[in-house]
């Protein structure tokens, strides 16, 4: 058994757990979500009922689930990791099959009030299962090639399924998320260098596959990459979104145009303004100050997670915390890069801000795990 | 797996190191994002701001209201009327076909119009209003408005459209406006952006096109905010347009109407000019057409009917029509000879009914001859032989010089379409145009206004005004622009001895009033406004010697288009000349029978400023004139609603 079991008497129990919840994190998550409510109100032209209110309800539900998950001991969640992973994988296969039967690509399962995207679930369960794997694996074996293969498979199987949907954004997040957990677990630097080299090779392969029978990604994905590389080639077509998004962002200036005064978003020049491009509206209406403030909030969340992970002697807990923090980071980093024209448009929402049910619930549930690890860590008295 | 505390410590230390490295990388990337934001939002903010403005702001033109055209008394001839129309916004309509069917139950939309609307609808964005039908009656609009709840996406709308309330009366003078054509645009170097506005109207012929620059005005602009789809969200600012300048013509609407109606059954033209000022009081060309048809866009059928009509209604006979002036030219011949001194004022020429010249006989219209003729008598009886002789003595070049002084062969510069210069033949002219030498026999033909001489009614009216006044009267059509009077051109005295001129005037008086005058029947009997005139009959065919031997075929036995043109020029009052008139009735037969009566009637109207009293007519004609006036569909004279001023 692990160190944790030996030290179990130092873990808070009963109602005392509530005191040990990372309340700073709760506050930061609420702050970020509030920015979301504000922006959803703005893009709806001041109508809170359209997007902001449903989002608030989900946030409340998500917060309650987070705290409930936090109260459950972390070792229970560790023991659930494998089942959760397999469950998410099963759902991923299920939507794939449903997609085959139904019309076109389907990414979600309808659960009445909620549309669950198995790929969202997979991002978290992958982190869980890898954290559990490295918790189980003796330290000496971590960098052994044989023991690197299982986590690779655990990552690549769902990635392949997601890529087939096709959802390039989530696929990238899964690979990055898995890689980050492996990195934190102490897998040798050489593997990462090799993977990056392989990644470059894959990109090369993708580009050479263009126009051939074995084309690896869809035409629209190619076009997105093209327009990312040079948006001006197609200013009214696919490059339109990037161009308009950059105009909105840049025209916001230092302090922005003011709440609900963003011409770009109000006059529909922005695409997907309540989902993937919501950051643009924020940057347009609240300027550099607003954009950097949100970035700082995210940064503080990451910071508190890293601190929590560093203080945690439990390998599963700390790896899980770092992995989930990294997932959050990947979300907003990719999203912001996308709207600023630093990355192609891949369809990744801004975490806790973009309108969307399952993403927010899954993310808050994941932070429930982070809280659980935080609450149930061994403390030196 | 069980771990030793040491291994656990090592593992935790590894996670800590890697976690800090990862956190550092993440922080670094966030720094990159922050810097990127700074670059876009602080460093390059201005250029992005500009792009955002360009995105949302459109500048649209506001078409100006076109200047109004008034007659000399301030009666509107061309104005802008509220044009009621019905527009459809496709995106607000559930089923376009059904909606149109509903509208058609209420108002009449012809198929051609509908086809155009549907074509436009398929081309434009769904939120752009498309005109379904225009020029609707107020009742139709009211009907639509009542049914508005049942017709979403269909709205009655109002715009400005040109309207000519006096209909055909001014069709040839004012002309008409129409939509800008590709050809119009191609002809312009720097087209006004206004012309690109759909349904914008510009002058097509007549004053409307010649004074387009004054009438059009300047476009206003409005800055509007549009969304990504191009839909107008709101108006940000507005610069009002400058309305076009109003024009006032010298024409009298009542006289113009009288002249048009008087000549309505003929193919004819008449020009009335004020001898003192040169103001053109009437320029009739019959038959006419309704210019309003052209504003809406005339149907091919209607257009072809106008184009193919034997009487050429589209043709402005007053300035565009050129006719051999016939005997109305004899004043010119006589004055030229008298001025040159080649014939004495009382000198007589013997007329045996013909003149032999160059082995040819030039006949007088009176086969038996007139006997001894002096200038006065020759003019009164229109003796051809006298003028053959006079012309022969003076020569064609000196005759031509005089003609130019009297305005023949001159292009009077009026803002009208297709003004013709006419022809005054001379040796130089023939050498230049035909490359031939002058044949002296031609001088004789010229003498009686035949041969190559061609003049328009406008020129003949100016000629008559100059004979009557002895001054080089310049015709004027535009009385004022934008409330500022256009100057009356100076009329310097002509280089003709007043005594000689008086003889020509007296001769013309005799034509109308003398016992043997050719136009005696069409005289004015009212005191102090006696008329002096000259008839003219110009052949449109050659009379062969054989035909002449048989006896010339009478006009009424000939097909219409081979009959002679009848001409008449006159001025009145004789003592104090005020108005001059030239009238041509195409293929009307003789000048005395066809042209003189309407010319007299029109001149009388001008003198009285309204339908003349019967006392002005010879007593035996009064019954007939009364009946004629009752039959004529005259428009009562209109009163100006307000002083013509800038609207």
């Amino acid at each position: 058994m692990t160190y944790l079991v030996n030290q179990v008497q130092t873990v808070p129990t009963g109602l005392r757990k509530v005191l040990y919840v990372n309340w700073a994190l709760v506050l930061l998550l609420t702050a970020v979500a509030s920015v979301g409510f504000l922006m959803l109100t703005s893009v709806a032209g001041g109508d809170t009922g359209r997007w902001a209110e449903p989002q608030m309800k989900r946030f409340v539900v998500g917060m309650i689930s987070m705290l409930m998950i936090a109260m459950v001991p972390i070792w229970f969640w560790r023991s659930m990791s494998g089942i959760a992973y397999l469950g998410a994988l099963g759902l991923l296969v299920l939507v794939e099959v449903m997609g085959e039967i139904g019309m076109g690509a389907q990414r979600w399962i309808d659960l009445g009030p909620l549309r669950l995207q198995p790929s969202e679930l997979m991002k978290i369960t992958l982190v869980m299962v890898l954290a559990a794997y490295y918790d189980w694996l003796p330290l000496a074996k971590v960098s052994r090639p044989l023991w690197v293969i299982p986590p690779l498979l655990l990552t690549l199987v769902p990635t392949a399924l997601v890529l087939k949907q096709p959802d390039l954004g989530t696929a990238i997040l899964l690979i990055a998320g898995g890689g980050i957990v492996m990195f934190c677990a102490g897998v040798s630097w050489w593997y990462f260098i090799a993977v990056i080299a392989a990644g470059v090779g894959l990109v090369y392969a993708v580009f050479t596959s263009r126009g051939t029978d074995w084309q690896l990604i869809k035409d629209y994905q190619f076009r997105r990459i093209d327009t990312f590389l040079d948006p001006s080639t197609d200013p009214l077509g696919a490059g339109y979104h990037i161009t308009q998004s950059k105009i909105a962002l840049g025209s916001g200036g230092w302090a922005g145009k003011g709440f609900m005064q963003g011409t770009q978003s109000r006059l529909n020049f922005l695409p997907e303004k309540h989902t993937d491009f919501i950051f643009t509206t924020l940057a347009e209406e609240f300027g550099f100050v607003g954009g950097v403030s949100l970035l700082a909030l995210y940064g503080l969340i990451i910071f508190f997670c890293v601190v929590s992970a560093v203080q945690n002697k439990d390998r599963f807990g700390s790896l899980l915390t770092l992995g989930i923090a990294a997932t959050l980071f990947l979300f907003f980093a990719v999203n912001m890069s996308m709207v600023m024209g630093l990355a192609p448009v891949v369809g990744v929402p801004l975490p806790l801000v973009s309108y969307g049910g399952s993403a927010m619930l899954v993310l808050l549930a994941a932070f429930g795990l982070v809280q659980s690890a935080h609450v149930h860590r061994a403390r030196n008295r | 797996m069980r771990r030793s505390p040491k291994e656990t410590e090592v593992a935790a230390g590894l996670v800590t190191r890697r976690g800090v490295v990862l956190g550092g990388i993440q922080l670094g990337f966030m720094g990159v994002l922050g810097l990127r934001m700074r670059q876009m939002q602080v460093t390059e903010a201005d250029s992005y701001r500009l792009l955002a403005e360009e995105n949302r702001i459109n500048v649209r033109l506001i078409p100006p209201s076109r200047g109004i055209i008034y007659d000399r008394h301030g009666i509107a001839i061309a104005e802008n009327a509220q044009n009621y129309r019905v527009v459809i916004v496709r995106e607000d309509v559930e089923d376009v076909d059904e909606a149109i069917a509903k509208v058609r139950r209420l108002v009449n939309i012809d198929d051609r119009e509908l086809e155009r609307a549907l074509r436009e609808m398929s081309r434009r964005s769904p939120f752009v209003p498309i005109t379904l039908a225009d020029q609707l009656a107020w009742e139709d609009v009211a009907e639509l408005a009542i049914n508005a709840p049942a017709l979403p996406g269909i709205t009655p709308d109002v715009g400005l459209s040109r309207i000519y309330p006096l209909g055909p009366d001014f069709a040839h003078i004012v002309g008409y406006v129409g939509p800008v054509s590709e050809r119009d645009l191609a002809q312009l170097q720097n087209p006004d952006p206004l012309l690109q506005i759909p349904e914008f109207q510009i002058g097509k012929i007549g004053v409307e096109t010649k004074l387009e620059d004054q009438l059009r005005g300047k476009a206003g602009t409005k800055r509007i905010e549009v969304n990504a789809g191009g839909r107008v969200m709101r108006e940000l600012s507005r610069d009002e347009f400058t309305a076009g300048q109003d024009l006032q013509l010298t024409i009298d609407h009542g006289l113009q109407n009288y002249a048009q109606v008087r000549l309505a059954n003929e193919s004819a033209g008449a020009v009335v000019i004020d001898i003192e000022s040169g103001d053109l009081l009437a320029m009739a060309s019959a038959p006419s057409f309704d210019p309003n048809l052209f504003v809406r866009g005339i149907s091919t059928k209607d257009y072809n009917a106008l184009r193919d009509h034997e009487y050429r209604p589209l043709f402005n006979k007053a300035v565009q029509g050129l006719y051999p002036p016939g005997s109305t030219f004899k004043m010119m011949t006589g004055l030229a000879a008298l001025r040159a001194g080649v014939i004495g004022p009382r000198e007589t020429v013997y007329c045996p009914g013909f003149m032999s010249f160059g082995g040819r006989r030039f006949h007088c219209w009176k086969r038996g001859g007139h006997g001894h003729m002096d200038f006065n008598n020759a003019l009164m009886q229109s003796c051809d032989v006298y003028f053959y002789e006079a012309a022969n003595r003076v020569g064609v070049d000196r005759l031509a010089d005089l003609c130019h002084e009297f305005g023949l062969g001159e292009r009077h510069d009026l803002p009208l379409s297709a003004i013709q210069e006419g022809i005054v033949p001379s040796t130089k002219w023939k050498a230049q145009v035909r490359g031939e030498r002058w044949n002296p026999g031609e001088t004789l033909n010229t003498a009686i206004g035949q041969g190559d001489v061609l003049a328009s009614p406008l020129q003949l009216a100016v000629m008559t005004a100059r004979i009557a006044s002895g001054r080089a009267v310049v015709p004027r059509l535009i009385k004022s622009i934008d409330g500022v009077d256009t100057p009356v051109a100076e009329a310097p005295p002509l280089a003709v001895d007043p005594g000689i001129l008086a003889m020509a005037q007296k001769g013309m008086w005799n034509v109308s009033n003398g016992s043997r005058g050719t136009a005696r029947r069409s005289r004015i009997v009212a005191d102090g406004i006696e008329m002096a005139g000259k008839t003219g009959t110009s052949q449109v065919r050659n009379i062969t010697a054989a035909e002449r031997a048989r006896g010339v075929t009478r006009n009424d036995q000939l097909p219409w288009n081979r009959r002679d043109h009848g001409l008449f020029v006159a001025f009145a009052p004789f003592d104090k000349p005020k108005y001059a008139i030239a009238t041509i009735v195409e293929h009307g037969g003789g000048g005395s029978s066809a042209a003189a009566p309407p010319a007299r009637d029109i001149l009388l109207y001008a003198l009285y400023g309204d339908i003349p009293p019967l006392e002005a007519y010879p007593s035996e004609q009064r019954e007939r004139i009364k009946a004629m006036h009752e039959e004529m569909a005259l428009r009562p004279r209109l009163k100006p609603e307000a002083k013509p001023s800038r609207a």
Side-chain angles (χ1 to χ4, degrees):
Chain A
M1 289 310 266
T2 63
Y3 166 78
L4 185 70
V5 178
N6 301 333
Q7 302 284 320
V8 73
Q9 66 276 18
T10 64
V11 171
T13 52
L15 277 176
R16 287 187 68 236
K17 285 180 180 179
V18 176
L19 291 174
Y20 286 91
V21 167
N22 196 340
W23 288 108
L25 212 48
V26 172
L27 211 64
L28 286 168
L29 291 172
T30 310
V32 170
S34 303
V35 170
F37 306 148
L38 194 67
M39 293 331 295
L40 288 173
T41 306
S42 173
V43 294
D47 175 12
T48 51
R50 189 152 175 212
W51 290 313
E53 274 173 22
Q55 183 87 339
M56 279 184 211
K57 281 180 197 151
R58 283 194 212 104
F59 178 72
V60 170
V61 171
M63 267 322 218
I64 292 167
S65 349
M66 181 182 92
L67 292 173
M68 281 164 63
I69 290 166
M71 294 302 106
V72 177
I74 190 68
W75 47 87
F76 170 77
W77 294 121
R78 185 188 59 198
S79 64
M80 293 300 290
S81 296
I83 293 164
Y85 176 82
L86 287 174
L89 197 64
L91 289 174
L92 216 47
V93 174
L94 187 66
V95 285
E96 184 60 38
V97 174
M98 279 163 56
E100 295 283 328
I101 297 163
M103 300 286 281
Q106 192 175 0
R107 297 178 182 180
W108 35 261
I109 292 167
D110 215 331
L111 296 177
L114 192 75
R115 278 177 173 177
L116 185 70
Q117 280 204 37
S119 62
E120 301 280 353
L121 215 52
M122 180 48 79
K123 283 172 203 155
I124 304 307
T125 54
L126 177 66
V127 170
M128 282 172 78
V129 80
L130 290 178
Y133 172 80
Y134 282 110
D135 183 45
W136 166 81
L137 191 69
L139 199 56
K141 294 180 179 171
V142 162
S143 286
R144 298 250 177 90
L146 185 68
W147 298 101
V148 169
I149 290 168
L152 271 183
L153 284 177
L154 288 172
T155 308
L156 292 178
V157 170
T159 303
L161 284 169
V162 165
L163 207 51
K164 205 164 173 295
Q165 278 184 351
D167 185 352
L168 187 64
T170 304
I172 290 168
L173 292 188
L174 282 175
I175 289 186
I180 282 168
V181 176
M182 289 168 77
F183 174 78
C184 291
V187 176
S188 170
W189 286 91
W190 292 109
Y191 285 102
F192 295 97
I193 291 164
V195 165
I196 288 165
V200 171
L202 182 70
V203 168
Y204 178 76
V206 163
F207 275 94
T208 46
S209 77
R210 187 171 198 172
T212 62
D213 317 336
W214 52 282
Q215 188 165 306
L216 291 169
I217 58 175
K218 299 268 177 180
D219 278 341
Y220 81 90
Q221 291 168 326
F222 267 122
R223 277 198 298 278
R224 281 180 177 184
I225 294 168
D226 285 346
T227 52
F228 159 64
L229 293 174
D230 188 4
S232 60
T233 52
D234 189 15
L236 288 175
Y240 181 80
H241 292 172
I242 293 174
T243 308
Q244 292 301 341
S245 167
K246 284 167 74 178
I247 290 174
L249 217 113
S251 66
W254 174 259
K257 297 175 185 172
F259 181 58
M260 300 217 296
Q261 301 298 311
T263 57
Q264 287 284 104
S265 53
R266 201 162 45 76
L267 299 174
N268 284 332
F269 286 101
L270 292 178
E272 311 270 341
K273 56 185 178 179
H274 65 294
T275 56
D276 291 358
F277 281 81
I278 196 158
F279 182 71
T280 322
T281 305
L282 173 79
E284 188 186 15
E285 298 189 349
F286 296 103
F288 178 68
V289 174
V292 167
S293 301
L294 182 66
L295 197 61
L297 287 177
Y298 282 129
L300 283 171
I301 292 175
I302 305 286
F303 175 76
F304 277 98
C305 287
V306 171
V307 167
S308 171
V310 165
Q311 287 176 347
N312 200 338
K313 300 290 183 235
D314 175 32
R315 194 165 161 77
F316 175 74
S318 57
L319 285 178
L320 184 70
T321 303
L322 287 173
I324 285 167
T327 304
L328 176 83
F329 168 79
L330 289 169
F331 266 113
F332 76 75
V334 170
N335 178 277
M336 287 187 185
S337 304
M338 173 178 94
V339 300
M340 286 181 213
L342 291 173
V345 178
V346 284
V348 172
L350 191 62
L352 301 172
V353 178
S354 286
Y355 182 79
S358 69
M360 176 176 251
L361 284 177
V362 169
L363 200 67
L364 286 174
F367 273 94
L369 296 174
V370 170
Q371 293 285 16
S372 173
H374 188 80
V375 170
H376 298 97
R377 74 173 197 236
R379 285 179 168 80
N380 298 321
R381 268 175 287 188
Chain B
M1 181 149 296
R2 185 181 299 272
R3 267 182 204 134
S4 69
K6 187 167 179 287
E7 197 193 346
T8 306
E9 283 298 327
V10 172
L14 187 62
V15 171
T16 299
R17 281 200 307 281
R18 290 283 174 102
V20 168
V21 168
L22 184 69
I25 292 170
Q26 291 176 348
L27 198 68
F29 194 83
M30 278 190 268
V32 170
L33 290 177
L35 284 175
R36 172 72 171 163
M37 261 191 260
R38 192 179 163 276
Q39 185 205 355
M40 289 175 72
Q41 299 193 286
V42 180
T43 317
E44 297 171 3
D46 287 342
S47 62
Y48 282 114
R49 224 171 262 143
L50 194 69
L51 288 171
E53 288 292 283
E54 279 175 9
N55 254 348
R56 77 181 178 110
I57 292 172
N58 262 0
V59 176
R60 299 253 169 111
L61 292 173
I62 311 170
S65 71
R66 198 172 172 82
I68 297 170
I69 303 176
Y70 298 98
D71 92 326
R72 66 182 297 113
H73 302 297
I75 304 298
I77 303 166
E79 55 189 351
N80 306 312
Q82 307 248 304
N83 171 17
Y84 295 102
R85 56 187 180 200
V86 52
V87 296
I88 181 166
V89 178
R90 183 151 52 95
E91 69 172 5
D92 296 342
V93 178
E94 273 174 34
D95 181 342
V96 173
D97 292 335
E98 196 193 308
I100 288 172
K102 275 185 189 167
V103 173
R104 289 188 95 169
R105 250 172 268 151
L106 297 173
V107 299
N108 180 43
I109 308 172
D110 68 66
D111 292 335
R112 208 162 56 94
E113 190 81 343
L114 187 64
E115 202 179 297
R116 181 200 55 77
L118 289 172
R119 206 169 44 234
E120 199 157 329
M121 227 181 288
S122 62
R123 248 193 5 234
R124 311 290 285 265
S125 299
F127 54 81
V128 174
I130 306 286
T131 305
L132 269 185
D134 64 358
Q135 310 279 353
L136 294 178
W138 167 243
E139 291 73 34
D140 290 337
V141 176
E143 187 99 28
L144 277 166
I146 292 165
N147 287 288
L151 295 165
I154 306 264
T155 30
D157 187 27
V158 61
L160 287 180
S161 178
R162 202 64 158 169
I163 186 166
Y164 302 101
L166 305 186
D169 286 0
F170 285 85
H172 293 111
I173 303 169
V174 167
Y176 49 82
V177 298
V180 184
S181 69
E182 293 298 320
R183 231 182 76 219
D184 294 332
L185 284 176
Q187 278 171 355
L188 292 167
Q189 289 275 317
N190 236 339
D192 190 330
L194 263 176
L195 303 186
Q196 310 281 1
I197 298 179
E199 292 173 29
F200 189 75
Q201 297 173 330
I202 60 165
K204 293 292 184 176
I205 67 160
V207 170
E208 289 274 31
T209 186
K210 293 290 174 178
L211 294 177
E212 172 71 25
D213 291 347
Q214 285 83 350
L215 288 166
R216 189 186 294 164
K218 291 222 160 41
T221 51
K222 56 181 174 187
R223 287 169 70 243
I224 48 165
E225 188 176 77
V226 295
N227 73 358
R231 182 201 301 274
V232 178
M233 305 305 280
R234 64 190 168 129
E235 194 173 297
L236 298 172
S237 67
R238 194 182 176 96
D239 277 333
E240 276 308 332
F241 60 78
T242 312
Q245 297 176 344
D246 294 342
L247 297 183
Q248 199 175 1
L249 303 185
T250 56
I251 306 285
D252 177 296
H253 75 279
L255 180 64
Q256 178 74 18
N257 177 246
Y258 185 89
Q260 284 292 150
V261 177
R262 184 65 183 81
L263 299 170
N265 299 325
E266 306 284 353
S267 173
V271 173
V272 181
I273 185 169
D274 183 310
I275 293 169
E276 281 163 37
S277 63
D279 283 2
L280 293 160
L281 294 175
M283 297 181 95
S285 179
S288 190
F289 59 92
D290 186 359
N292 293 306
L293 287 176
F294 284 82
V295 177
R296 287 170 224 177
I298 191 166
S299 71
T300 317
K301 187 170 145 269
D302 289 350
Y303 182 76
N304 289 346
L306 284 174
R307 191 194 55 195
D308 299 336
H309 193 288
E310 197 176 26
Y311 284 13
R312 292 178 300 164
L314 295 174
F315 188 78
N316 184 0
K317 287 156 193 131
V319 300
Q320 202 176 353
L322 289 179
Y323 308 93
S327 300
T328 60
F329 190 75
K330 284 173 178 164
M331 279 84 78
M332 296 293 98
T333 311
L335 284 172
L338 287 170
R339 179 167 78 167
V342 294
I343 200 162
R346 300 274 168 240
E347 189 179 338
T348 57
V349 171
Y350 181 73
C351 168
F354 62 89
M355 178 173 164
S356 294
F357 187 85
R360 239 189 91 187
R361 267 189 180 189
F362 288 83
H363 288 273
C364 186
W365 66 269
K366 193 172 180 182
R367 294 205 66 187
H370 289 92
H372 292 282
M373 287 277 123
D374 65 357
F375 177 51
N376 196 321
N377 264 317
L379 213 52
M380 172 166 65
Q381 296 185 40
S382 206
C383 172
D384 291 338
V385 171
Y386 177 90
F387 292 101
Y388 291 148
E389 181 62 30
N392 192 36
R393 290 192 200 170
V394 73
V396 73
D397 288 336
R398 278 192 284 184
L399 174 56
D401 288 345
L402 184 105
C403 287
H404 283 289
E405 285 168 46
F406 278 80
L408 298 181
E410 297 287 327
R411 191 182 182 284
H412 299 299
D413 196 25
L414 298 175
L416 290 172
S417 299
I419 293 187
Q420 292 292 319
E421 212 170 83
I423 296 173
V424 173
S426 64
T427 51
K428 208 174 116 197
W429 169 83
K430 195 165 183 199
Q432 270 177 5
V433 176
R434 301 244 169 101
E436 288 169 19
R437 278 192 52 216
W438 184 262
N439 175 353
E442 290 174 70
T443 308
L444 272 57
N445 273 334
T446 307
I448 59 161
Q450 297 283 350
D452 292 315
V453 202
L454 287 175
S456 67
L458 171 69
Q459 288 173 325
L460 292 175
V462 170
M463 176 193 81
T464 311
R466 290 183 181 184
I467 293 170
S469 66
R471 293 181 303 116
V473 177
V474 179
R476 183 175 82 145
L477 181 61
I478 306 300
K479 191 163 184 285
S480 69
I481 297 177
D482 200 24
V484 179
D485 282 352
T486 47
V488 174
E490 217 170 302
L494 293 163
V496 181
D497 182 76
I500 294 172
L501 218 49
M503 287 182 68
Q505 291 161 5
K506 185 66 186 165
M508 287 172 75
W509 183 89
N510 277 322
V511 169
S512 288
N513 303 286
S515 55
R516 309 180 98 169
T518 51
R520 185 180 156 74
R521 278 195 324 123
S522 302
R523 66 190 183 280
I524 295 173
V525 299
D527 278 345
I529 55 167
E530 283 173 350
M531 182 170 81
K534 181 74 193 81
T535 55
T537 303
S538 63
Q539 291 164 10
V540 291
R541 66 203 164 97
N542 285 320
I543 299 171
T544 60
E547 194 184 350
R548 200 176 289 278
R550 272 201 314 275
V552 178
T553 319
R554 281 167 50 105
N555 261 306
D556 49 16
Q557 290 166 339
L558 285 167
W560 176 77
N561 61 6
R562 294 193 62 209
R563 292 179 201 168
D564 298 337
H565 292 321
L567 292 97
F568 190 70
V569 299
F571 65 89
F574 175 71
D575 299 327
K576 198 174 178 303
K578 180 78 182 124
Y579 303 117
I581 186 170
T583 303
I584 156 94
V585 178
E586 286 188 350
H587 309 295
S592 58
S593 60
R600 185 262 318 263
D601 296 346
I602 294 165
L603 202 52
L604 266 177
Y605 188 107
L607 289 163
Y608 282 98
D610 207 333
I611 295 171
L614 290 172
E615 293 75 58
Y617 296 90
S619 54
E620 74 278 7
Q621 293 171 22
R622 287 176 190 165
E623 278 307 307
R624 192 173 51 76
I625 296 290
K626 187 169 174 244
M628 181 190 78
H629 279 159
E630 275 163 10
E631 235 172 74
M632 282 167 77
L634 289 170
R635 182 189 298 107
R637 287 189 70 85
L638 300 164
K639 291 266 184 312
E641 279 167 22
K643 208 172 132 244
S645 62
R646 298 261 286 101

